[in-house]
Amino acid sequence: MKAGFWMAPEGADAAMTIAPIGVDELATPGRTGSGAVHGLARAGVEGLIERCERVGRLLPELADALARQKADAPGRLVDVTEYDADERELLSQALGSGEVSGVVALPDGVTAQISESTMAGLWRVRFSDADERVIGDYLEIAAIPEVVRRAAVANARDVAFGPPPENVMNVMPLLAEIRARVDAFEPGAESHIVNFSLFPMTPEDMAFLQHTLGDGPVGLLSRGYGKCRIHATATRHVWSVQYFNAMDEIILDTLEIGDVPVVAQAAVEDFRDSSERLLEIHEAYFK
């Protein structure tokens, strides 16, 4: 098992597969807006653009919505489920794949796979049923897709724990602090961070903490400045946030008590920049 609070079974990252959706090798995670433009510049895309006028009309609408979006405001959904294969392919080429992706486990075997486009704050959210059939495909303009927020608190539990096991050192006062922070949390408040690098924990401490907080339904991966893995625990408002170096070793292991960690969210300035880039793409390739 990997060191740190959140541990994939037997050290396997495959416990929660996180991958970009609807993109090819020209639109890989971590590309900037130029990556999306590069995808549109390849041979053969001109034919797609000619056949997919609806996509061309959609991009300025998305840019306008991005320009008006606020980080703390409800997002806007655009349903592209009924778009045909060519239209979905052109959308993928135009929007590319950005820094944040993730998976959300929902009831009845439904899974939501999310991928930020190269325009921060513009997301692709695809829902699949238990048989991996796509049942919904959406674009969403928001700081973070709403399904992430809702799943993280739906059926989440309060902090409750019994007598400590033997050989624990710091877990009981830490759990008491987490419980107090969870009870006091209000939407919009700044998250409280527990840094395990500064908070010595025995293996027994960590095992009891993991068991008490549990595994939640949300897993996110941010490839911004380095790699960051974010997992919701089964306890409301408690997240595992881990930062990794190039060798995939944990360099910062934390818990955050609060809203969805800001490292995964788009900021208000991102929406304005994304609007401008999307208009540039439309101007260059769709007119």
Side-chain angles (χ1 to χ4, degrees):
M1 303 177 82
K2 290 187 175 182
F5 174 79
W6 187 86
M7 299 185 293
E10 299 181 359
D13 290 336
M16 183 167 283
T17 302
I18 298 177
I21 58 177
V23 297
D24 65 9
E25 68 279 1
L26 293 178
T28 53
R31 284 192 178 271
T32 64
S34 61
V37 173
H38 180 67
L40 286 175
R42 63 183 248 181
V45 174
E46 295 87 349
L48 275 178
I49 293 174
E50 291 177 0
R51 295 193 300 273
C52 303
E53 295 182 0
R54 180 161 54 168
V55 174
R57 294 192 301 269
L58 176 62
L59 297 189
E61 296 177 9
L62 294 173
D64 180 65
L66 281 163
R68 292 184 285 106
Q69 183 66 32
K70 296 181 179 180
D72 58 353
R76 175 184 173 184
L77 277 178
V78 178
D79 189 349
V80 296
T81 307
E82 300 304 321
Y83 277 35
D84 63 30
D86 282 350
E87 290 172 320
R88 291 195 301 272
E89 171 64 17
L90 185 56
L91 272 175
S92 297
Q93 295 296 337
L95 302 182
S97 183
E99 296 177 349
V100 182
S101 55
V103 173
V104 181
L106 300 169
D108 301 323
V110 174
T111 299
Q113 191 173 10
I114 70 171
S115 182
E116 190 176 38
S117 75
T118 54
M119 275 62 70
L122 175 56
W123 306 80
R124 187 80 170 269
V125 184
R126 181 174 293 172
F127 294 87
S128 302
D129 63 16
D131 296 321
E132 299 186 354
R133 293 174 299 199
V134 175
I135 57 177
D137 195 355
Y138 300 87
L139 300 176
E140 184 170 354
I141 295 170
I144 195 77
E146 184 64 19
V147 67
V148 173
R149 298 186 189 277
R150 293 191 180 188
V153 297
N155 302 316
R157 64 200 190 198
D158 294 329
V159 182
F161 48 89
E166 296 181 357
N167 300 320
V168 300
M169 182 171 60
N170 286 319
V171 70
M172 299 309 289
L174 176 57
L175 282 170
E177 179 185 1
I178 292 172
R179 180 165 59 187
R181 296 283 182 176
V182 167
D183 291 343
F185 173 74
E186 296 182 358
E190 184 176 352
S191 294
H192 176 74
I193 298 176
V194 175
N195 184 350
F196 290 118
S197 301
L198 305 175
F199 204 99
M201 300 279 283
T202 67
E204 291 81 6
D205 279 325
M206 192 64 79
F208 189 64
L209 182 64
Q210 292 162 348
H211 174 76
T212 300
L213 298 181
D215 293 333
V218 178
L220 303 172
L221 176 64
S222 174
R223 298 178 179 88
Y225 299 99
K227 183 164 63 174
C228 176
R229 294 191 182 116
I230 304 161
H231 288 83
T233 72
T235 302
R236 61 189 176 96
H237 306 314
V238 182
W239 302 78
S240 167
V241 183
Q242 299 172 316
Y243 296 85
F244 294 78
N245 62 18
M247 302 298 292
D248 205 32
E249 299 168 333
I250 296 175
I251 57 175
L252 183 60
D253 190 18
T254 69
L255 287 181
E256 289 196 18
I257 298 97
D259 197 359
V260 181
V262 295
V263 68
Q265 296 194 51
V268 63
E269 58 269 20
D270 293 326
F271 296 118
R272 310 300 173 257
D273 292 343
S274 295
S275 175
E276 293 175 3
R277 294 211 310 271
L278 193 54
L279 286 175
E280 290 171 357
I281 291 172
H282 182 262
E283 180 72 24
Y285 292 95
F286 290 83
K287 285 190 175 182

